[in-house]
Amino acid sequence: MENILQIDTDFIENNTVFSELIEALKNGFCNNKTLIPMRHHHDFPNPEVNADSTLLLMPAWNPSKDAGVKIVTVSPENGKFKLPSIQGTYIYFDAVKGSIKAILEAKSLTVKRTAAASALASYFLSRKDSSSMLMIGTGALSINLIKAHAAVRPIKQVFVWGRNIEKAQAIASALKHENFSVKAIKSIEEKIAEVDIISSATLSKTPLVFGKYLNPGQHIDLVGAYKKDMREADDKTISKSSVFIDTFQGGLKESGDIVIPINKGILNKEAIKADLFQLCSNNKIGRTSENEITVFKSVGHALEDLAAAGYYYNKFKNE
């Protein structure tokens, strides 16, 4: 039996080059051979914290090449225990023999591939000269989203907002050696109308991005709000923007940012411009003008996990 590699958080954190990971995801979305069933999404009660937790099972197969499944729990109240909301593992298989090649720590894998997917979308959707960014949210994704967006656009200024200003300041401090400036701000309204890219990664159930503040040419990256009753952008944001999603399979079903506007008649399913499969294969185009406002909604996809697992597995093997 082959040795099963254990790829931990430290390896993933220390060996991520976002430009490479973004390219790995792009290649994955271009490949029409990968089989991705709809992910299992199970909410279950967690009475101790008076809030539901979620179990996600996300399988994917690239026939005769590789396969994998991610097993993850999302517990929004984990802040009470000083733990991340996402916990889990990724099992990476040999698709021919069915043997396990590696077990990867899923939280870091998820954070990295999610940030890379947003940056991949930004490559098609944000203006090429985008140099400023507002990061809404101070969780594990925030630093990675900033770095990933900076890998595809010439970011010079970043503003960070969180409900806790000290957490926003901690992110600014952690990124002080990057090639861009980072500043914590006390309110979203301070900068939302001025920046080129707005990225939001929160568990908010009420909008934080309001369309009344948006200006022509901006790109909005919505990464949080993973349930139907959660949303980060209001109706006006959706109605005045060109809307793109990571995949039609999950994007139309799982997030309130898309589901609620569709149910209210504000967004027509047919009006959604494209998903990452169509953008990466050049079947659809992204931004069409300098003045267009674009919205990208990410809910996550098993293909992203499989592509990222292969990326880290190959790096680990080639050390």
Side-chain angles (χ1 to χ4, degrees):
M1 183 177 177
E2 296 179 14
N3 290 331
I4 299 173
L5 302 183
Q6 302 286 331
I7 302 177
D8 63 13
T9 299
D10 287 343
F11 182 85
I12 293 172
E13 289 292 332
N14 295 327
N15 290 275
T16 300
V17 179
F18 272 114
S19 58
E20 297 174 352
L21 182 56
I22 292 163
E23 187 66 22
L25 263 62
K26 183 180 180 182
N27 291 337
F29 279 105
C30 285
N31 177 10
N32 59 9
K33 296 178 181 178
T34 307
L35 305 176
I36 307 103
M38 189 68 185
R39 69 181 177 185
H40 294 250
H41 186 132
H42 304 283
D43 294 333
F44 58 91
N46 195 345
E48 184 172 334
V49 294
N50 196 32
D52 284 355
S53 290
T54 303
L55 173 68
L56 300 172
L57 305 175
M58 302 174 69
W61 295 270
N62 195 342
S64 295
K65 185 179 178 183
D66 55 5
V69 60
K70 186 168 73 175
I71 305 168
V72 167
T73 56
V74 184
S75 300
E77 300 299 316
N78 266 8
K80 297 178 180 179
F81 308 110
K82 297 183 179 179
L83 291 171
S85 59
I86 298 173
Q87 308 276 337
T89 193
Y90 192 89
I91 305 173
Y92 186 56
F93 295 97
D94 181 310
V96 176
K97 295 176 282 186
S99 55
I100 298 174
K101 297 201 289 187
I103 296 175
L104 298 91
E105 194 279 316
K107 182 179 73 68
S108 294
L109 177 80
T110 302
V111 165
K112 300 297 184 186
R113 65 80 155 148
T114 301
S118 282
L120 176 59
S122 182
Y123 173 81
F124 293 102
L125 302 178
S126 65
R127 294 198 321 268
K128 288 181 170 56
D129 63 350
S130 296
S131 62
S132 58
M133 175 179 176
L134 169 61
M135 183 69 241
I136 299 173
T138 55
L141 262 169
S142 302
I143 285 177
N144 290 281
L145 281 162
I146 293 167
K147 288 183 175 181
H149 277 286
V152 298
R153 291 294 182 252
I155 301 296
K156 300 299 180 188
Q157 289 183 309
V158 178
F159 304 96
V160 182
W161 176 87
R163 298 187 192 280
N164 184 326
I165 187 68
E166 292 178 355
K167 290 183 178 179
Q169 291 168 340
I171 288 173
S173 178
L175 293 171
K176 64 184 178 182
H177 297 302
E178 299 295 327
N179 293 325
F180 44 80
S181 66
V182 186
K183 180 183 178 182
I185 57 175
K186 293 182 178 179
S187 71
I188 293 171
E189 292 77 12
E190 285 179 50
K191 293 295 178 181
I192 191 170
E194 301 175 15
V195 296
D196 300 315
I197 296 171
I198 300 156
S199 184
S200 185
T202 74
L203 298 175
S204 181
K205 290 193 173 184
T206 56
L208 298 168
V209 177
F210 291 92
K212 65 182 180 181
Y213 296 119
L214 300 181
N215 284 311
Q218 290 182 301
H219 171 61
I220 298 94
D221 172 39
L222 302 176
V223 187
Y226 68 97
K227 288 185 179 181
K228 293 178 183 178
D229 64 345
M230 294 178 171
R231 63 186 309 190
E232 297 184 291
D234 72 342
D235 291 341
K236 191 168 184 179
T237 297
I238 300 300
S239 64
K240 71 188 294 186
S241 303
S242 297
V243 178
F244 299 79
I245 55 181
D246 54 356
T247 69
F248 283 98
Q249 183 189 50
L252 293 176
K253 298 177 181 179
E254 297 189 16
S255 171
D257 278 315
I258 300 297
V259 172
I260 294 172
I262 287 176
N263 290 341
K264 292 170 71 172
I266 290 162
L267 176 66
N268 191 305
K269 292 179 184 178
E270 288 70 32
I272 297 174
K273 300 293 186 180
D275 68 1
L276 283 177
F277 286 103
Q278 295 169 324
L279 292 173
C280 292
S281 60
N282 296 317
N283 288 331
K284 295 284 183 72
I285 60 173
R287 173 175 290 273
T288 57
S289 75
E290 292 294 295
N291 290 327
E292 185 178 14
I293 299 174
T294 54
V295 164
F296 173 69
K297 177 57 199 172
S298 169
V299 297
H301 196 256
L303 183 147
E304 299 165 10
D305 296 309
L306 184 61
Y311 169 75
Y312 291 114
Y313 176 80
N314 290 329
K315 280 217 161 190
F316 197 93
K317 287 279 285 186
N318 294 327
E319 269 199 316

